[in-house]
Amino acid sequence: MACLMESSVPLQSYKEAAEWILAHTDQRPRIAVICGSGLGTLAETLENKTVIPYEDIPHFPSSTVPGHAGRLVFGLLNGKQCVCMQGRFHIYEGYSMSTVAFPVRVFSLLGVDTLIVTNAAGGINSNYSVGDIMFIKDHINMPGFCGQNPLRGPNEDGFGVRFPCMSDAYDQHLRHLAMDCTQELGLQDIVQEGIYCMLGGPSYETIAECNMLKLLGVDAVGMSTVPEVITGRHCRMHILGISLITNMAILSYNSTAHANHQEVLQTSQLRAAALIALLTNLVGKM
Ligand SMILES: O=P(O)(O)O[C@@H]1C[C@H](O)[C@@H](CO)O1
């Protein structure tokens, strides 16, 4: 009988990707930033950049979504060495959860121990507004309810344990530090803290689905982040998750609004400067 297995990535592929990168830059960052839809401009602000297109790195997946450039950018952010993923992967592109999270294990082999994950998300909480910045305090892995998890398949003991704890997935200290930064920058009025729910996409949610998520206590909905966070926690990284509320989820049958990726990218552009200021300030304190 055929066995339904996550197509887990061979250990050798992570190692070959990491070795290739180590041979192509002498930068050794401990901080990695995954840039969400339209949020890749952060990478442009790094100093002393080394830019590596994903297609040059052995075994690296490729980006197929508008707003996700598809390159690693190494450089200094506020004096600290960082690597930014300008473009991430999603399961709706046809990738398995473990492939989506492939770069996170590569980063771990490079010596990264802190992961900042950003995303564009739809606001479910009716107290939220478009343009709000939400620090993620917890997540719901909705695809996980039917078995999708980046750690599915044989465990790689070298990265972490078989059954990792996720109740502390989002680092409280980093979140408080980030909150302090928003005060300093005068962003406190647009800051929220909440629960992110990942759905598979690529279709946006129905009205019934949005109302169900609201009942479940979800504050923002998206199509990413969870695979990278689970994988990062598995290898003991400290994680800060940030959702930009790019649109409000549609909860009423009277609404004439239509979710669309243009709006997502437009809001990301509007808030790019604020997010860059926030991350620059934060990284300086880390
Ligand atoms: O990569 P993220 O999660 O930031 O992008 C969101 C989810 C979809 O890729 C896209 C939908 O508009 O934006």
Side-chain angles (χ1 to χ4, degrees), residues 34-39 65-68 87-90 92-93 118-122 196 199 201-202 204 221-225 228 242 244 246-247 259-265 268:
I34 301 180
C35 301
S37 279
L39 298 171
V65 185
H68 290 265
R88 66 139 59 80
F89 313 112
H90 307 85
Y92 65 74
E93 294 172 84
T118 68
N119 63 56
Y196 174 88
L199 300 188
Y204 291 107
V221 59
M223 307 174 190
S224 69
T225 300
E228 297 106 310
I242 304 177
L244 174 64
T246 51
N247 57 290
N260 65 92
H261 193 53
Q262 265 322 100
E263 184 187 7
V264 169
L265 294 180
S268 300

Side-chain angles (χ1 to χ4, degrees), residues 109-261:
L109 294 176
L110 298 181
V112 167
D113 59 16
T114 301
L115 184 63
I116 301 175
V117 191
T118 68
N119 63 56
I124 297 278
N125 185 323
S126 40
N127 294 322
Y128 287 9
S129 304
V130 169
D132 280 357
I133 292 169
M134 183 187 91
F135 294 121
I136 305 177
K137 72 167 181 222
D138 203 349
H139 73 223
I140 295 177
N141 175 18
M142 196 63 88
F145 289 9
C146 53
Q148 286 218 52
N149 190 299
L151 307 178
R152 187 180 151 97
N155 187 51
E156 287 295 352
D157 297 336
F159 284 113
V161 297
R162 170 75 290 187
F163 301 110
C165 176
M166 285 295 142
S167 56
D168 57 355
Y170 296 87
D171 192 288
Q172 218 172 50
H173 170 69
L174 280 180
R175 206 156 72 240
H176 291 160
L177 209 56
M179 283 284 186
D180 292 346
C181 296
T182 59
Q183 295 275 349
E184 276 178 35
L185 295 165
L187 296 172
Q188 65 279 359
D189 292 345
I190 58 162
V191 167
Q192 312 283 357
E193 193 179 63
I195 296 172
Y196 174 88
C197 179
M198 178 202 182
L199 300 188
S203 51
Y204 291 107
E205 303 68 42
T206 64
I207 293 171
E209 285 163 349
C210 289
N211 279 294
M212 182 195 81
L213 294 175
K214 194 180 170 86
L215 279 176
L216 291 178
V218 168
D219 297 299
V221 59
M223 307 174 190
S224 69
T225 300
V226 166
E228 297 106 310
V229 170
I230 292 175
T231 304
R233 276 311 285 156
H234 182 241
C235 54
R236 296 169 303 282
M237 287 182 182
H238 300 285
I239 294 179
L240 177 71
I242 304 177
S243 293
L244 174 64
I245 307 301
T246 51
N247 57 290
M248 288 305 290
I250 301 163
L251 290 151
S252 161
Y253 289 99
N254 294 324
S255 170
T256 54
H258 287 93
N260 65 92
H261 193 53

Side-chain angles (χ1 to χ4, degrees), residues 34-51:
I34 301 180
C35 301
S37 279
L39 298 171
T41 40
L42 170 77
E44 315 291 342
T45 68
L46 299 190
E47 287 168 2
N48 237 353
K49 284 195 275 290
T50 304
V51 177

